[in-house]
Amino acid sequence: MRLNSLRWRVILGSMLWTAGLLMVAHMLVLAVIHNTPAVFRIGHHSAIVFAVIFMVAGLFGLQSALAPFKKLRSRLSDVRGGRDSRVGGDYPVELQPLINDLNTLLEHRERVVKRALATAGDLAHGLKTPLAVLAQEAERAEAAGHVELGAAITQQIERMRRQVDYHLAHARAAASGATPGARCSVLASVEGLSRTLLRLHADRGLEIVLKVSAEHSVRAQREDLDEMLGNLLDNACKWAKARVVVESSQTDGVILMTVDDDGPGLAASMRESVLQRGVRVDEASPGSGLGLAIVRDLVELYGGSISLEASPAGGLRARLQLPAC
């Protein structure tokens, strides 16, 4: 028996209360028996039947009294899992104030997160505007014959842009993880990204095959999932010879997404290092501006993981895992 369990405390309290009542009832019954004619007395068998009925009714009443706690646990699990943003349902008057306080706390937290996210967005926008002006000045410097100066300024501007995107993505992901109800369809994200990338690589005749279930959803904001999958798909399309395959599966509350290409692949010694911040396989190749390190950081903020391995198609396989909704 666990005395720190509410259920056992209620049961123990009920048993002690019942034992006390039985003692009082026993004394009262003895008094009644001695002062009541035999014709009005209740038989032993009838008394046993009534006792069993009362006991069964008491057990059902006890189970009914504890049922709201089980319901509350289920609703809190929905909030934590991103399936709902509030604790809903009707509860006894003793529990309702607690539910109201919980919902108020969730609403306050959501407002705080939205304000923080809006502030981060405003900061990013405020930084990108002067960066664009500096980029124009760098182009003018190169056009005026100051090639080295213009290239150096352009390089630093690109580094600053990547830093802005890096921290903005972090802020957005952290806000999404703290906001109940974050949910995104994997198929919707992959379809939109595939259409964009097929247009970008139209001259190569690239094929993107989707084997993603419409029922698979992850606990993440759409823009963050686009950021993660977009980076993986962009890299796959950049190195693929003719075909990229995207698949999804679900096991134990986790959605596994794989992106395979038929390109040259990546040496095993490089697969872990490219996930580190500041490391790129080919600095001269165009990229999304965030890199695999940003994808790794975003995935970890959402409680997932990313890994690289050899693809059955001959190239590289990226494995992305995120909590399912």
Side-chain angles (χ1 to χ4, degrees):
M1 182 183 296
R2 297 174 56 189
L3 295 181
N4 62 339
S5 167
L6 176 63
R7 181 185 299 272
W8 282 111
R9 287 182 180 182
V10 172
I11 292 175
L12 180 60
S14 301
M15 291 174 62
L16 294 174
W17 176 260
T18 303
L21 286 179
L22 285 175
M23 295 176 67
V24 174
H26 178 69
M27 292 185 292
L28 291 176
V29 168
L30 289 177
V32 170
I33 288 175
H34 285 91
N35 296 281
T36 304
V39 67
F40 295 109
R41 296 176 187 175
I42 299 176
H44 293 293
H45 296 292
S46 299
I48 292 174
V49 171
F50 279 112
V52 171
I53 292 175
F54 289 152
M55 291 175 66
V56 171
L59 289 175
F60 276 106
L62 180 62
Q63 187 67 25
S64 175
L66 294 174
F69 292 96
K70 183 177 181 180
K71 179 181 178 182
L72 175 59
R73 180 181 179 183
S74 176
R75 295 300 173 87
L76 286 174
S77 178
D78 290 338
V79 172
R80 183 181 60 184
R83 293 179 291 276
D84 204 346
S85 60
R86 298 291 182 274
V87 180
D90 295 326
Y91 297 89
V93 293
E94 293 83 1
L95 275 181
Q96 194 59 50
L98 172 63
I99 304 303
N100 294 338
D101 290 342
L102 279 174
N103 286 329
T104 301
L105 179 62
L106 289 171
E107 292 174 2
H108 173 71
R109 189 179 186 185
E110 186 176 348
R111 288 194 300 268
V112 170
V113 168
K114 286 182 177 179
R115 285 198 300 268
L117 188 57
T119 302
D122 293 341
L123 177 61
H125 179 74
L127 291 173
K128 286 181 178 180
T129 300
L131 287 176
V133 174
L134 288 174
Q136 293 178 353
E137 294 299 325
E139 292 177 358
R140 292 177 183 174
E142 290 184 8
H146 304 287
V147 179
E148 294 183 1
L149 176 62
I153 295 176
T154 301
Q155 182 182 15
Q156 294 304 314
I157 290 172
E158 181 61 23
R159 289 184 62 183
M160 285 187 284
R161 282 176 175 169
R162 293 179 66 180
Q163 286 292 324
V164 170
D165 290 337
Y166 177 89
H167 292 290
L168 181 59
H170 263 69
R172 187 170 60 239
S176 299
T179 303
R183 181 187 180 94
C184 178
S185 168
V186 177
L187 182 60
S189 178
V190 172
E191 285 181 336
L193 293 168
S194 298
R195 286 192 295 267
T196 301
L197 289 168
L198 285 174
R199 286 195 296 267
L200 291 174
H201 298 275
D203 57 330
R204 297 172 53 197
L206 198 63
E207 179 186 14
I208 300 179
V209 180
L210 303 183
K211 299 180 181 179
V212 179
S213 172
E215 298 178 357
H216 290 168
S217 297
V218 296
R219 187 164 56 86
Q221 295 287 2
R222 171 65 182 272
E223 54 267 31
D224 293 325
L225 184 61
D226 286 349
E227 197 76 73
M228 291 180 275
L229 286 176
N231 214 289
L232 299 180
L233 277 169
D234 181 44
N235 287 333
C237 290
K238 184 166 55 180
W239 296 102
K241 296 176 182 176
R243 197 166 187 257
V244 174
V245 180
V246 185
E247 297 186 58
S248 70
S249 60
Q250 181 172 358
T251 53
D252 300 329
V254 174
I255 299 295
L256 170 63
M257 294 154 278
T258 58
V259 180
D260 291 277
D261 66 71
D262 58 354
L266 185 64
S269 59
M270 287 290 295
R271 291 171 191 162
E272 181 62 28
S273 62
V274 296
L275 295 175
Q276 303 303 317
R277 185 178 178 186
V279 178
R280 296 179 63 183
V281 177
D282 186 359
E283 290 289 345
S285 298
S288 66
L290 289 179
L292 291 174
I294 306 301
V295 177
R296 182 206 61 194
D297 290 345
L298 290 177
V299 170
E300 290 177 352
L301 284 171
Y302 279 111
S305 64
I306 181 175
S307 61
L308 303 177
E309 59 189 43
S311 170
L316 185 67
R317 163 175 284 185
R319 292 169 52 90
L320 181 66
Q321 295 187 82
L322 288 171
C325 280

